[in-house]
Structure formats: C-alpha cells, structure tokens
Amino acid sequence: MGVRTFYILTTLVSVALFGTSCTKQPDKQVPYSGNAVYYWRTTWQLTEKERTFVNTNSVQRIYLRLFDVVNKYEESDGIQQPGILVPQPQATLHFNEPYDLPCEVIPVVYITDDCLKSDSLLAEKVVTRVAQFCETNDLLWNELQIDCDWRKSTRDAYFHFLEKVRAMLKERNCRLSATIRLHQFSQPAPPVDYGVLMCYNTGDLTDKKTKNAILSTKEVKLYAPKLKVYPLPLSAAYPVFSWKRLFRGDKFVALLRDTDIEDTTAFINCGDGNYKVRQSFSAVTPDPTVFGMQVYPGDTVRLDKVPVDTIKLVKLLLDKECPNLHQQVIVYSLNENDISKYTQNEIESIYTSGW
Amino acid sequence: MFSTYNRNEQTSYINQNISYWKRYTGNRFTDEQVLAQLNNAGSESTGDNLLLNHLKSKGDKNGVEYLEKLKAVKKAAKLNENTWNYPTKDQLAQNRKEWSEIYNFAANKLKGKRTPLSNRYVLMAMRGAFYSGKDDALGQIWLSNAKQVHEKDIAAQCQGYLASSWIKTGWIEKARDFYIKTGSLNDLRATYPQVITTKTIKEIFDKYPESKTFPYIVQDFLNSSFSTLNATEKNAQRDSLTKIELARFVKFSGSAATAGTQQTALWLSARAYAMYMLGVDKKQVAKALLDAQKVKSNARVAYNTRCLRLICASEVEDIDTKFETMLTKELTWLRNTAAKEKPYYDYATFRFRNHYTDVMDHVVHDILVPRYLQMDKPVTAAILANVANELNETQYVCNARCNLVKRDSTQKGYNSDYGTDVFRMLDTMSTQNAISYYTVLTAAGGSQFEQSMVPFCFNNASYLCDIIATKLMREFQFKPAMEYLKKVDAKYTEDMNIKPYLAYSYTPEFWVLQHKQKSDPKLQKKPYANKMNFCKQMLKLEEAIAKAQQKQKMDAKYAANAYELAKAYIQASPKGACWALTNYSWSQVQDSAEVANNAYIKRAITLLRSAYSADMSEDNMVRCLSGLFFLSNNFSPCSDQDKLAKLLWRLKDSASGEARKVNRCDALKDYIAGNGLLF
C-alpha cells in the first residue's frame, strides 16, 4: 500500500467512524489546555518585560525553536565545500542564560521541504539531536513539534519523515505534533498526534496588493469550513508581530528591520498601513549580508500588523467550526519589540475565549 | 558622490593571514602549504606541519609557540553547535575550559613586550574570551590593544567578536558608545533605527569629537540627502525639508571645522558638499573645497575633496585650453585611482565598481559629454565617453577584456563594446565625425586634449573600421565602405556578437517572414564576407539600373534588376533576415516610424514602384505589389495596404506561374487571417 493510499484510507476511516475531530471526538483533543507562546530566536535571553509577560499571562508552555534544518554545502574548517547539498542544522538556539521558567518546554524544529528527500537518516538525526540538545541544556521534554511549509509535491516525503520520527519518539514515550498552515488544509492531515494551526503568514508578502500578509480574515474564511472535517486535534497560534515590507514601484525589495516607521523625517504616513519614504537613508534588513541598503524617496513601506479585533474575529470564525480549537492558545512570539505593542487587556483577549 | 569611507572595503582574514605567514617564513611555502598548517593545525601529519617544522629548525621559539597554541584553538573551534552531533554537557564544559586556557595564555602574552605576533595574540585572546563567556575581558582587551592593531583584517575579526558580545548582552547604549569609540560602523548604524540627522551627528560630536565614525556617518547623511534631492519623483515639500536639514548641517559642520580636531578637512569638505547641494554659487563652493584641500587629512578624505572639486569645476568653468589642461591632469589621476581601488561587484549591472568609477561616470556622462555636445564637439565627447566606458568595460565580467574574473581560455567573453554609450554615440554621429574619431585614435589626430585621453580609450581599428563601413553602407556609399571593410581583421570578426546573423543570404524572397528564414550553409564559414559580397552586388546592380535610367531603357531587364536590388535592401533592413549587414542589434518590437524612415526601406519602395511601372507582366506586377504590401505599415481599412491586399488576392485567383507564389507570402496570409471580412 502506497503512503498516499494509506493516508487517504486513514482519513476516510476516521471521518466515517468518528465524524469530525472537532465536533464529535471529545477523546481526540489536544493534550493541553491554557496559554502558550512560541520562542523563535537564536539566543535564549529574556528581558524583564518578556518574563513579566510569561508570568502575568500564566503561560504554561513554551514552544521553543531549537534549530532549523536546511540544505547546505558541507563545511570544512568553516568554509563551504562545493559539492552536493546535504541537510544540516543551522541557527541553533544558544543559551545566554539558563532556562529557568516554570513552564513546560516543547522543542520545535523548523525544516525546509527540500531537505526531505535527500537523507534517509534525517529523522534519526533530528530526534537524536533534539534529545542531546535537551540533555545538554537541562530541558525536560515529552513532545517534539516539526514546522515545515510542505506542499503537495513534498507531502509524501514529509509524511514518511514524520512517520519515522513518530516511531522513534514512541520509544521515548514522546508525542509528535506539527504546525499546519492554512493552505495545507486542502491536503490530508500529517501523521502526528495533534497539529497547531498557524493563523499567520497567510498572504504573499512579496505582493504589494496583499493588504495584510500576516493575517487576513478573507483567507481564513476560505479555509475555515475545512476545520470540521479535519481529522487531527488542533490548537491555534495567533500572531503578535509586525512586518515592514519595502516596495520599489510594485516590486518587493526587502523586509525592514530596526526601522522606526513613525520617524516623520523618513516616512509620510499615508494611512491604512501604507508609508511613503520621504527621505533617502540606509536601512537595516534581516539579511545579515545586506548592510545599509539604500531606501529612496518614492519607495513605499507596507506595515502589516494584526489588530486585536482581527484576531478576535478570526477566533470567532474558527470557534464556530471547531469549539475545541481554543482549548490551548499559542501566541507567536515571545519578543519584547512585538508584545510591547499590545496592552495587557489585548493580550488577555487573545488568550481568552469570547469576543 | 561623497566618499570619505569605503563602505565596500572588504577584508579577507584568510588571504591576509596566508600572506602574513608566507612573509614570516621567508616566502618559501605555497598558499596551499600555509593554509594546510593554519587550517589543519591539529593534524600530526608532516604535510600539515611544514611551517611549524621550519620554524623549529630555525629556532624561532615565539613562532613555534604561537603555531602550537593555534592547534589548541583549532581543536576547541571544532566543537560547533551547528553540526548534527550536538555537544554533551561535559563536552561543552571541557570546551569552555579549553577556550578559557587559550584566553589566559594569549592574555599573558600581551602583558610582556610587543612582538610581531602580538596582534595575533590579541585576536586569540578575544576568541578565547568570547567562547569562554568572559564578556568584560573582551572589551578590556580590545580597548587596551586597539591602537596597536593596524592590520585591518585582524581588527575586523576582533570587532566582530566584540559586536557579538554586546548584542548578546543587549546593551544598546553601551554598545553604541563603544562602536563610536572604535569605529565599528556597521554595528553602529544598526543601533540607529531612525534616519541620521545633523542632531545625531552633533550628539556624537559633543561626546566624542574625534570619533572614527564621522567619515561614515557624515557620508551616509550627505549621500542620503543627495538621493532625496535627486529622486525621480519630485516633491517640493520634501526637498524643502531636506534643504533645511542641510542648512543645519552647514552651520554645524562650520563650527565642527573650527573645533581643532584631527578631522577638520572632513568637516570642511562635507560643509562644501552640503553647500553644493543647497545650490550655493559654485565658485563659493569651489573656494570652500580649496580651503578643505589645504588642510592635512588622510588620503581618502583628500581624494574625496579632489573629486568634488573636479565635479564642481567641470560644471562651471569655461571650456578652454586652461580647463582642458586641468581636466587632463585630474581625469588621469581619477582613472589611475579608480584602477587602483579594489572594486565591489554590483549584481545589478554585472560590473565591478568603486567610488572612483562612479565619479568618473558622473563627471564624464552627466557633465562633460553634454557640455561638449552642446559646443558641437561630438568627437571630444565620444573620446571622453570612451575613457569612462573603458574603465567600466574592463570591470564588466561579461567583457573579454575584464581581467578581474578568471576565465577559461576556451571561453570567449560577450563582446559588450556594442552596448556602451560610446558605441551609441558612434552609431548615431555623422560618418565624417566617426572618421575623425578614428583618426584621433589611430593616427594621432585631433586636439592635444583629445590625444591626452587616447591612452585610456578602447582603441581597436577593426572595431572602428567596421562601424564606419556600416555607416557608409547605410548611406549607399558602397565603394568607400569596401575600403574600410578591407581593413577589418578577420580574427576580430570571429568574436563579433552578430557573427551568426551575418550568415543569412539576402537573395531569398523577403515575403517569407524573418523567423522562418534559415542561415545559408555556404555563408556559415565566413559570415563577415557577406558584408563585402553585399556591397559588391549592390554596387553592380545600382550601376546597372543607373545606366538603364540614363539610357531611358526601362524594360523588363531593368525591372528585374530593380526588383533584385529592392529585395536585397529589404533583407538588409531591420525588417529583413540580413539585418546584421547594417545593424548591430535587432529587436522584436520595432519602432514603425524608424523602420519607415530607414533609408533602405525608402529606397526599396522607390525601386519596387519603378520596377512595377517598367514591366506590366502579371508576374512582375504581383511580386512588386507583394513587396509594397510587405513594406506598408498602414493596416486600417481602405489604406494602401488594404488596397494592395485586395488587388493581390484577386491576382492570385487569376494569375499563373510566378504570381501563384503570392500564396507563400506570410505577411499577406497573416493579413487575410486577421482581416478576413474584408475579402
């Protein structure tokens, strides 16, 4: 039986026997409840505000990104050797201070889908590395989450990878979860214990016409009905971050980092999240190889941020389709720059149910 | 155009380090051998320890000690957090201990008398401090040693560790102060989310009047202001705000220049440039720049002032012998300076550039060329454009003359000399001017100033003769064209971009659309010879019809010759398959007005009309009308083309023999397909 056939059958059987996970499967729930947060940086070091956030909002667990897996040329003495691309870990989390929060840790590994076919031992390598990472850094864990922007073309390889990971985790009495992007709703569910529905990155950030590339209710409405028949238990993750997308004409140039969009010497606020560059200056981008990229008058910056009301509306929409979805709510992500843009009341309203 | 800091300056620690150790060991080892010692220092194989063994044999205790310690560094560095084997707790602790020992060892070495290896020990100590988590020690080592570390590559490495340490601790203010003091510019800029204004600069100046960051910060401020004022999209309010800010800067830099710092020349030149952007009288600006030049400064600041003076003078001074003497001196200096400065690769243009090539481009293309053209001196303008272009072309990776990239000897570069400004100027100037230009470059003609620029020009007689021949061919001057064609070296023609397109015959019927015509196998061996063949044939046919016209013998033979000529002209025009005979490029999207005004098309129309009248046989009528239909650009109903199409369609039904070939006329078939209702 091919992998694809197996999943189609699994899906059909689960739908036939149990109806839907969200409406008729009280036993098929995410094993957690309460508040959680993603931590998606390369160094572990919390500011006072971030600690306060965790305490004030009774955050019970942290989904901690440990490392990425990407295809890279092999390195020898720090120099890339031309040859065959192989999956390798990068941007491993470094602890500048020990982990001392009273919250449960759920390790997360981000993997690019082009890695999936090239290494048959990938699942073993990932699990072993996660285990060693947690042991070295004194982290207790009983679950691993995989984050991957897989498509139909890479689905089989991804599911095969997850199956192997899941089998290895079972030996350690650990669960496996995965992030689910909205577009992945049209595909069979991955073989994991539960999924986290990413209610962000819903639009094309390189398209100027995309009004809000982080979260659009229109996109959510499109996929929300599929929740009813989705065979996996799900939690939802909501965004509290912003993007500054720089465009020259209609062409996307870069995301801007560390740029004060309210600096009126540099920008004219044209309303509705659109800013026009008034004064040329050299900007900082998240790309470490591009320094001092010149921004010119006439360039435009699209500021994408998600108003709390939009998040509440999306929650309401999804709640209707899947009442169990908000048993656990995850915020993306724990970062002072982002969370400080929201009031405590607003954060609370993201975490709690109801309008 | 303001550059007191080379933002593209890259230091390669690996290369510099190899050079250092080669020199240290008396240049007896190859790059690979040095690299083997430095990179694989942990290995005990003799092959990797050539330098160490050499130093041991020479009794160089210090050198041996350093290279032995480098082995410990390499061993410690092998523990990488980004490999599949994530380190265990014990391994991490052991690693930290190793780095700590490395730090202690190197820091101790820095306590004694300085040796040639001291700077390397500074770097080693900083690495040790960084990886063993001694953040405070990291800053202390750098502050007490930075002044002695003159090797930029080592300094950049040290600053890198420092910057990472500050970022790690999240002390922005402290980090900013440190970057200002030490001049770590990239990191400093990242700490300023806002636009840099006079206020920012003044705040730094009040605290650290000798900050090393001024060349960079001031440059960033001035060039950003320039970009704003010269933005394509005009905005009066924005420009006015920028000018207010520049006026503030003029005031501030004036006072900074009198504060008696070591950077007076920088403040004076920056003030002059701000005045220039504000539109202050250029003579006043030139005087301010002269004042800046009189003050002692580092080479970069002095060069910057010199470039600004050249720009200013090129804009305002009268063009006379005195000016051209100055220009000769300054452009020669600029060209040599540009050639000396390490370029950076511009991915947008596939060119290596640097600040001085940019200045050369600006002075020549934006200022001098338009001024010389206005004075009706196109040859001087073209010579100047050549100087700037050649500087760029030798830095253009696709050009075979670019020596900045390693090229496989079998690989021929793309000939970009047909896409330059100077080519466009030559292509469009009068033939006589092109010949004068050729004389300046090849026969020491022209003015003294023009001659002074010749050594910096791209100077290839075959290239020029071919262009002149082409221009003469376009003017129907086939005899003189043939003289120039004879001077074109056959080897040169091998590398011409249009070579494959020259192998098309001009004899087939033009009404078979261009893209359907195939190159002629007979011409593929020596395609360039097609140009000469074409000239000979045109000359012969033109003479024959001129003779017939003289004798008023406009008969069927005349019609046949005129038709043959018309056919060849159409083929050699932008509408034909042999466009490369008289052009250097071809575009799918053709300007219809340009095509209609093309001399070959005009001549072909005259010839077809004349041939049509000379022989009223059905065959001749059909083919002449087909030609006229093919050349007609008016597609509206009741237009000439429409009438011709209807006429041809009728003839097709009644004609026999040659006339039936009308069925093969792609243009007519396309027209009928698109306008079927008309018939």
Side-chain angles (χ1 to χ4, degrees):
Chain A
M1 189 191 298
V3 174
R4 183 183 297 184
T5 323
F6 172 78
Y7 288 115
I8 292 170
L9 279 179
T10 311
T11 310
L12 289 173
V13 168
S14 69
V15 171
L17 290 179
F18 305 109
T20 69
S21 66
C22 287
T23 53
K24 293 177 186 172
Q25 279 183 277
D27 56 324
K28 283 260 173 183
Q29 286 182 358
V30 169
Y32 309 117
S33 59
N35 301 342
V37 69
Y38 274 105
Y39 189 90
W40 211 261
R41 307 210 297 257
T42 52
T43 49
W44 174 264
Q45 187 159 23
L46 296 184
T47 65
E48 268 321 296
K49 274 195 180 159
E50 288 161 352
R51 283 182 184 278
T52 309
F53 178 94
V54 171
N55 293 330
T56 315
N57 295 295
S58 309
V59 171
Q60 294 179 32
R61 68 200 59 78
I62 294 200
Y63 286 81
L64 188 67
R65 189 204 64 90
L66 303 192
F67 55 90
D68 300 342
V69 180
V70 296
N71 261 346
K72 279 201 300 190
Y73 289 114
E74 265 183 307
E75 281 189 5
S76 167
D77 287 305
I79 299 166
Q80 286 195 346
Q81 307 294 314
I84 300 164
L85 288 163
V86 286
Q88 283 175 71
Q90 77 163 18
T92 302
L93 180 69
H94 181 85
F95 283 88
N96 281 352
E97 59 188 25
Y99 181 84
D100 58 357
L101 292 179
C103 316
E104 194 178 341
V105 168
I106 296 178
V108 185
V109 172
Y110 169 75
I111 184 161
T112 56
D113 63 350
D114 59 340
C115 295
L116 296 164
K117 285 179 184 167
S118 46
D119 189 347
S120 57
L121 297 174
L122 190 61
E124 196 181 334
K125 283 178 177 172
V126 169
V127 174
T128 309
R129 192 166 202 270
V130 168
Q132 186 58 60
F133 183 97
C134 292
E135 193 187 312
T136 302
N137 295 294
D138 292 328
L139 300 174
L140 293 171
W141 65 297
N142 58 12
E143 177 185 327
L144 170 63
Q145 184 166 101
I146 302 290
D147 177 32
C148 178
D149 191 1
W150 54 277
R151 309 262 152 183
K152 197 179 171 188
S153 57
T154 48
R155 187 184 66 206
D156 288 352
Y158 179 59
F159 285 14
H160 189 58
F161 164 77
L162 288 179
E163 267 189 325
K164 281 185 170 178
V165 171
R166 198 180 191 185
M168 291 175 73
L169 290 178
K170 214 168 184 182
E171 286 170 18
R172 294 170 182 262
N173 286 324
C174 289
R175 269 186 296 269
L176 175 65
S177 63
T179 54
I180 311 283
R181 284 158 177 78
L182 280 181
H183 70 81
Q184 290 165 347
F185 257 158
S186 51
Q187 303 283 324
V192 293
D193 296 303
Y194 74 94
V196 171
L197 178 63
M198 280 171 57
C199 298
Y200 48 89
N201 300 5
T202 57
D204 180 0
L205 70 96
T206 63
D207 188 347
K208 202 177 179 184
K209 281 180 260 161
T210 306
K211 214 173 170 195
N212 192 325
I214 299 178
L215 179 60
S216 123
T217 43
K218 205 175 144 192
E219 286 286 315
V220 174
K221 271 181 193 165
L222 205 67
Y223 290 100
K226 293 184 192 291
L227 263 179
K228 268 187 186 152
V229 290
Y230 203 68
L232 270 185
L234 290 170
S235 274
Y238 293 101
V240 291
F241 62 92
S242 60
W243 270 340
K244 282 159 258 175
R245 296 184 283 143
L246 176 72
F247 289 91
R248 193 154 297 146
D250 286 334
K251 203 180 160 210
F252 173 76
V253 181
L255 285 174
L256 297 181
R257 183 171 71 88
D258 297 341
T259 303
D260 180 6
I261 201 89
E262 301 305 334
D263 177 4
T264 50
T265 52
F267 299 102
I268 304 165
N269 188 342
C270 305
D272 205 22
N274 292 306
Y275 292 77
K276 204 152 200 180
V277 176
R278 180 203 286 274
Q279 152 96 45
S280 182
F281 66 98
S282 55
V284 183
T285 74
D287 183 349
T289 62
V290 179
F291 170 71
M293 185 193 59
Q294 202 70 18
V295 173
Y296 297 100
D299 287 357
T300 50
V301 176
R302 171 86 214 157
L303 175 66
D304 290 349
K305 57 180 181 184
V306 188
V308 171
D309 282 350
T310 307
I311 296 177
K312 287 201 277 190
L313 192 67
V314 169
K315 277 183 76 180
L316 211 61
L317 269 167
L318 299 176
D319 231 13
K320 258 194 225 168
E321 307 293 340
C322 183
N324 289 339
L325 184 69
H326 296 118
Q327 187 179 301
Q328 172 185 244
V329 172
I330 316 170
V331 156
Y332 183 96
S333 69
L334 185 58
N335 187 323
E336 182 175 337
N337 285 341
D338 294 324
I339 56 174
S340 58
K341 293 191 177 80
Y342 293 82
T343 65
Q344 179 52 30
N345 279 344
E346 287 176 326
I347 294 290
E348 272 171 25
S349 68
I350 295 172
Y351 272 131
T352 53
S353 305
W355 182 254
Chain B
M1 284 295 114
F2 193 89
S3 178
T4 46
Y5 163 73
N6 185 1
R7 61 189 294 160
N8 303 304
E9 197 170 55
Q10 302 280 326
T11 56
S12 160
Y13 179 65
I14 293 175
N15 291 340
Q16 303 283 335
N17 207 22
I18 290 172
S19 305
Y20 175 87
W21 284 103
K22 274 175 92 170
R23 279 197 312 274
Y24 191 93
T25 48
N27 289 317
R28 69 190 62 238
F29 297 111
T30 64
D31 285 8
E32 289 71 24
Q33 286 169 327
V34 175
L35 198 63
Q37 176 72 58
L38 299 176
N39 268 358
N40 308 323
S43 161
E44 286 307 315
S45 73
T46 29
D48 291 344
N49 283 303
L50 286 175
L51 272 78
L52 187 62
N53 295 339
H54 169 73
L55 294 180
K56 275 180 185 168
S57 70
K58 297 283 278 182
D60 182 346
K61 210 179 141 196
N62 286 335
V64 170
E65 200 174 28
Y66 179 84
L67 287 183
E68 289 286 7
K69 204 67 200 171
L70 196 62
K71 288 185 178 187
V73 172
K74 289 287 160 186
K75 184 175 171 280
K78 275 194 175 160
L79 191 94
N80 183 344
E81 286 188 2
N82 277 322
T83 57
W84 281 115
N85 295 323
Y86 188 82
T88 64
K89 203 180 268 191
D90 287 346
Q91 281 172 327
L92 275 184
Q94 175 61 28
N95 190 247
R96 193 173 264 248
K97 200 176 147 203
E98 283 169 12
W99 280 117
S100 190
E101 279 167 7
I102 288 164
Y103 163 75
N104 289 334
F105 178 86
N108 265 332
K109 283 280 162 197
L110 294 170
K111 281 179 189 159
K113 210 177 140 194
R114 286 190 72 78
T115 69
L117 291 165
S118 288
N119 288 348
R120 277 167 168 73
Y121 276 122
V122 172
L123 178 57
M124 193 186 276
M126 290 190 75
R127 282 181 86 172
F130 182 81
Y131 288 115
S132 57
K134 296 179 171 59
D135 292 325
D136 290 340
L138 201 62
Q140 279 161 15
I141 296 167
W142 184 239
L143 275 184
S144 48
N145 289 283
K147 276 184 189 164
Q148 279 102 349
V149 182
H150 299 300
E151 289 151 281
K152 282 181 186 168
D153 51 315
I154 292 186
Q157 291 267 309
C158 292
Q159 285 171 1
Y161 286 117
L162 208 52
S164 303
S165 158
W166 295 124
I167 290 162
K168 204 165 74 178
T169 45
W171 291 332
I172 293 289
E173 279 305 319
K174 199 175 170 185
R176 189 178 286 167
D177 273 9
F178 190 84
Y179 296 146
I180 290 167
K181 247 188 265 179
T182 56
S184 184
L185 306 169
N186 287 4
D187 297 303
L188 176 73
R189 184 64 185 95
T191 66
Y192 283 105
Q194 284 94 349
V195 165
I196 289 171
T197 61
T198 308
K199 195 172 160 239
T200 324
I201 299 169
K202 190 174 176 301
E203 275 170 10
I204 299 174
F205 187 83
D206 289 344
K207 226 169 165 187
Y208 305 105
E210 292 290 6
S211 170
K212 289 177 184 175
T213 60
F214 290 132
Y216 165 75
I217 294 253
V218 169
Q219 178 178 315
D220 194 63
F221 167 75
L222 290 173
N223 287 342
S224 292
S225 302
F226 182 86
S227 298
T228 304
L229 291 173
N230 291 282
T232 330
E233 193 185 79
K234 294 289 162 208
N235 182 317
Q237 195 200 359
R238 182 192 67 212
D239 288 357
S240 144
L241 284 170
T242 307
K243 285 186 175 175
I244 290 169
E245 192 54 38
L246 279 170
R248 276 190 201 126
F249 181 80
V250 169
K251 201 176 161 197
F252 161 72
S253 52
S255 62
T258 56
T261 68
Q262 299 290 310
Q263 302 188 67
T264 302
L266 165 73
W267 295 116
L268 285 173
S269 60
R271 182 171 171 271
Y273 190 56
M275 286 160 65
Y276 171 87
M277 283 191 277
L278 281 169
V280 171
D281 178 47
K282 298 276 165 51
K283 282 184 180 154
Q284 216 178 313
V285 176
K287 193 190 165 297
L289 286 166
L290 189 63
D291 289 344
Q293 272 190 311
K294 285 176 189 164
V295 180
K296 202 179 158 199
S297 66
N298 68 37
R300 185 98 197 166
V301 173
Y303 288 2
N304 179 57
T305 316
R306 194 168 175 178
C307 288
L308 293 176
R309 271 198 80 195
L310 172 62
I311 292 169
C312 209
S314 302
E315 282 184 18
V316 290
E317 285 185 21
D318 293 335
I319 294 183
D320 53 19
T321 316
K322 191 182 153 205
F323 173 78
E324 288 186 337
T325 308
M326 179 280 291
L327 215 50
T328 301
K329 190 179 158 203
E330 293 306 290
L331 290 180
T332 304
W333 167 78
L334 183 60
R335 198 249 168 227
N336 293 338
T337 308
K340 261 185 248 163
E341 168 137 320
K342 190 181 170 192
Y344 70 94
Y345 188 62
D346 180 356
Y347 286 93
T349 59
F350 306 113
R351 279 176 165 81
F352 286 96
R353 293 167 60 183
N354 61 43
H355 170 64
Y356 303 105
T357 61
D358 290 351
V359 173
M360 178 68 93
D361 271 345
H362 177 60
V363 169
V364 168
H365 292 300
D366 301 339
I367 307 171
L368 294 173
V369 166
R371 285 191 76 189
Y372 275 101
L373 285 177
Q374 209 170 19
M375 289 170 70
D376 199 21
K377 287 188 164 182
V379 173
T380 322
I383 296 278
L384 280 165
N386 190 336
V387 173
N389 277 336
E390 186 55 4
L391 188 58
N392 274 326
E393 286 308 302
T394 48
Q395 319 240 3
Y396 179 39
V397 290
C398 298
N399 192 310
R401 293 198 300 286
C402 177
N403 54 12
L404 295 167
V405 283
K406 275 187 187 167
R407 211 183 292 277
D408 185 331
S409 58
T410 57
Q411 270 184 322
K412 280 182 180 154
Y414 171 76
N415 190 335
S416 58
D417 297 317
Y418 294 92
T420 62
D421 286 331
V422 71
F423 169 76
R424 278 184 283 277
M425 288 169 86
L426 283 170
D427 198 40
T428 50
M429 68 171 50
S430 73
T431 308
Q432 194 45 53
N433 279 332
I435 292 169
S436 302
Y437 175 88
Y438 170 67
T439 314
V440 173
L441 284 182
T442 56
S447 71
Q448 203 178 340
F449 172 59
E450 287 167 349
Q451 273 308 312
S452 74
M453 292 291 110
V454 170
F456 308 128
C457 288
F458 167 56
N459 192 352
N460 184 312
S462 290
Y463 169 78
L464 291 171
C465 286
D466 173 65
I467 290 174
I468 293 169
T470 307
K471 289 171 87 75
L472 288 165
M473 284 165 72
R474 288 177 196 162
E475 292 167 1
F476 306 96
Q477 297 190 58
F478 298 110
K479 221 172 195 173
M482 284 156 72
E483 291 308 310
Y484 279 98
L485 285 175
K486 278 180 204 162
K487 293 179 187 172
V488 178
D489 187 345
K491 208 176 160 206
Y492 173 80
T493 66
E494 284 299 304
D495 295 336
M496 288 177 85
N497 302 327
I498 54 166
K499 185 184 149 190
Y501 306 102
L502 284 167
Y504 283 79
S505 168
Y506 48 83
T507 50
E509 298 296 347
F510 46 80
W511 58 43
V512 178
L513 290 180
Q514 245 168 9
H515 62 271
K516 288 189 182 170
Q517 203 164 309
K518 285 183 181 155
S519 65
D520 186 342
K522 279 182 234 154
L523 292 168
Q524 278 165 4
K525 264 193 176 175
K526 282 184 176 179
Y528 192 75
N530 204 20
K531 266 186 147 173
M532 186 65 96
N533 296 342
F534 179 79
C535 286
K536 280 181 189 165
Q537 179 69 3
M538 295 303 99
L539 202 59
K540 194 178 133 195
L541 288 169
E542 283 283 8
E543 276 172 5
I545 64 160
K547 217 177 259 176
Q549 275 170 340
Q550 253 176 10
K551 289 183 182 169
Q552 294 193 332
K553 212 177 164 190
M554 317 279 270
D555 52 12
K557 196 179 173 196
Y558 166 86
N561 279 341
Y563 179 75
E564 276 306 305
L565 255 181
K567 202 168 65 172
Y569 283 138
I570 294 169
Q571 286 287 24
S573 79
K575 271 181 97 84
C578 313
W579 55 266
L581 289 171
T582 55
N583 294 277
Y584 293 95
S585 61
W586 182 85
S587 165
Q588 183 99 34
V589 188
Q590 292 183 344
D591 182 339
S592 55
E594 211 172 275
V595 171
N597 280 326
N598 182 280
Y600 276 21
I601 301 277
K602 280 184 172 173
R603 177 81 179 130
I605 290 171
T606 311
L607 287 163
L608 287 170
R609 282 184 181 152
S610 171
Y612 179 83
S613 318
D615 176 8
M616 297 306 283
S617 73
E618 209 165 58
D619 278 5
N620 184 54
M621 277 163 66
V622 168
R623 60 189 193 180
C624 289
L625 286 174
S626 301
L628 289 167
F629 170 80
F630 181 77
L631 297 177
S632 170
N633 283 310
N634 191 343
F635 284 81
S636 60
C638 301
S639 62
D640 284 351
Q641 193 183 37
D642 192 40
K643 284 177 201 162
L644 279 166
K646 283 174 181 167
L647 186 59
L648 277 167
W649 200 247
R650 275 204 306 276
L651 283 166
K652 175 190 86 72
D653 290 338
S654 57
S656 61
E658 188 71 19
R660 287 217 172 268
K661 284 185 185 168
V662 170
N663 283 329
R664 298 209 313 254
C665 178
D666 291 333
L668 182 63
K669 278 194 282 189
D670 282 359
Y671 187 80
I672 291 163
N675 302 274
L677 287 176
L678 290 173
F679 297 95

